[in-house]
Structure formats: C-alpha cells, structure tokens
C-alpha cells in the first residue's frame, strides 16, 4: 500500500464518521486533488478490497480497510509518541517524519518501538512517584 493510498483510507475513515458513504468529490476537496486522481486511487483501493464502491452513491471501508486504518492509526500513535516525547520533535514537524517512517513495513519495528516507549513512560512515572 502506498503512502497516498493510506492517506485516502484515513480520509475515507474520517468522512464516513458522519455518513456511511463517501463521495469522490469530498475526498478530492480534502486532499486538494483533481477528482480524476481520486477515481484512480479509489479503483486501486477497490481492487485491494480496502473499500467498496456503490455506483453513483460513494464508497465505504470494507472490514479489510477498517483493519488497515486501525493499524495505520496505531502506528501513527506509536511514532508520534516517540518523536514528540523522546526526540523532542514538535507536533508541527512530526507529521512529515511520521509519513516517512510509516513506510517501514516490518511489524517488529513498531512492536519494539511501542514496547520501548511504554517501558520508558512507566519508568519515568515510577521515578516521579517515588
């Protein structure tokens, strides 16, 4: 899955909170791209079984798409925690770095990073509480 496709899934997820079906025009407006570009990416997401398209109505996330969105959100949370709390990178600087680091596909990286940040957070709480 490309970073661009991941952005589309996140936008579809956000828009579908208000309405179940999301139109291409809505995605194009948020991402500030041409509707034809949206159609191309949407077709790819349909082929990957991430979304389902209903003609003349819109798209919605499939269960596979929902799982992918949940994974993306969790990975973003882990990376955001690491960058802001451990590397002191501001919240305005971190999104671009997060987008780059999300290209790491090995789940072990995220598991270890999550364990590290959780362990460090627990240790810092213990030190302050003592």
């Amino acid at each position: 899955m490309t970073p661009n496709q991941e952005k589309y899934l996140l936008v579809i997820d956000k828009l579908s909170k208000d309405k179940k079906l999301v139109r291409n025009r809505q995605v194009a407006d948020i991402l500030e791209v041409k509707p034809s570009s949206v159609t191309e990416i949407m077709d790819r997401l349909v082929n990957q079984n991430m979304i389902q398209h209903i003609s003349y109505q819109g798209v919605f996330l499939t269960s596979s798409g929902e799982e992918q969105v949940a994974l993306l959100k969790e990975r973003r949370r882990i990376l955001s925690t690491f960058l802001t709390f451990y590397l002191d990178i501001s919240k305005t600087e971190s999104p671009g770095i997060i987008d780059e680091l999300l290209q790491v596909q090995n789940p072990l990286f995220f598991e270890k990073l999550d364990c590290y940040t959780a362990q460090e957070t627990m240790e810092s709480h213990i030190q302050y509480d003592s």
Side-chain angles (χ1 to χ4, degrees), residues 1-3 5-10 13 45 48-51 61-76 102 104-105:
M1 176 154 298
T2 68
Q5 291 170 337
E6 291 173 350
K7 282 182 192 176
Y8 277 70
L9 285 180
L10 290 169
D13 178 62
L45 291 171
Q48 294 175 4
N49 194 34
M50 294 291 147
I51 62 171
L61 293 172
T62 62
S63 58
S64 296
E66 289 173 348
E67 289 173 15
Q68 185 67 29
V69 166
L71 179 66
L72 285 168
K73 286 179 176 180
E74 178 64 9
R75 287 181 171 184
R76 284 183 173 280
L102 281 172
V104 175
Q105 294 300 309

Side-chain angles (χ1 to χ4, degrees), residues 30-118:
I30 287 180
L31 294 175
E32 298 176 345
V33 295
K34 295 178 186 174
S36 59
S37 299
V38 173
T39 301
E40 184 180 326
I41 298 294
M42 294 291 205
D43 288 344
R44 289 183 187 157
L45 291 171
V46 167
N47 290 336
Q48 294 175 4
N49 194 34
M50 294 291 147
I51 62 171
Q52 187 169 346
H53 178 260
I54 299 175
S55 295
Y56 304 105
Q57 294 183 37
V59 300
F60 63 92
L61 293 172
T62 62
S63 58
S64 296
E66 289 173 348
E67 289 173 15
Q68 185 67 29
V69 166
L71 179 66
L72 285 168
K73 286 179 176 180
E74 178 64 9
R75 287 181 171 184
R76 284 183 173 280
R77 182 198 61 77
I78 293 167
L79 290 170
S80 178
T81 300
F82 180 70
L83 293 173
T84 56
F85 292 109
Y86 298 97
L87 299 183
D88 198 28
I89 294 175
S90 74
K91 290 193 183 271
T92 56
E93 294 172 318
S94 64
I97 299 169
I98 289 171
D99 287 343
E100 290 179 36
L101 288 172
L102 281 172
Q103 295 315 297
V104 175
Q105 294 300 309
N106 189 329
L108 183 61
F109 171 76
F110 291 98
E111 289 172 24
K112 295 289 186 179
L113 191 58
D114 190 29
C115 288
Y116 173 77
T117 57

Side-chain angles (χ1 to χ4, degrees), residues 120-130:
E120 289 292 314
T121 303
M122 278 192 339
E123 287 176 8
S124 68
H125 286 304
I126 291 169
Q127 289 174 0
Y128 290 119
D129 291 342
S130 300

Side-chain angles (χ1 to χ4, degrees), residues 5-20:
Q5 291 170 337
E6 291 173 350
K7 282 182 192 176
Y8 277 70
L9 285 180
L10 290 169
V11 167
I12 292 166
D13 178 62
K14 181 180 179 180
L15 290 171
S16 67
K17 299 298 183 214
D18 298 330
K19 241 188 206 181
K20 183 72 173 156

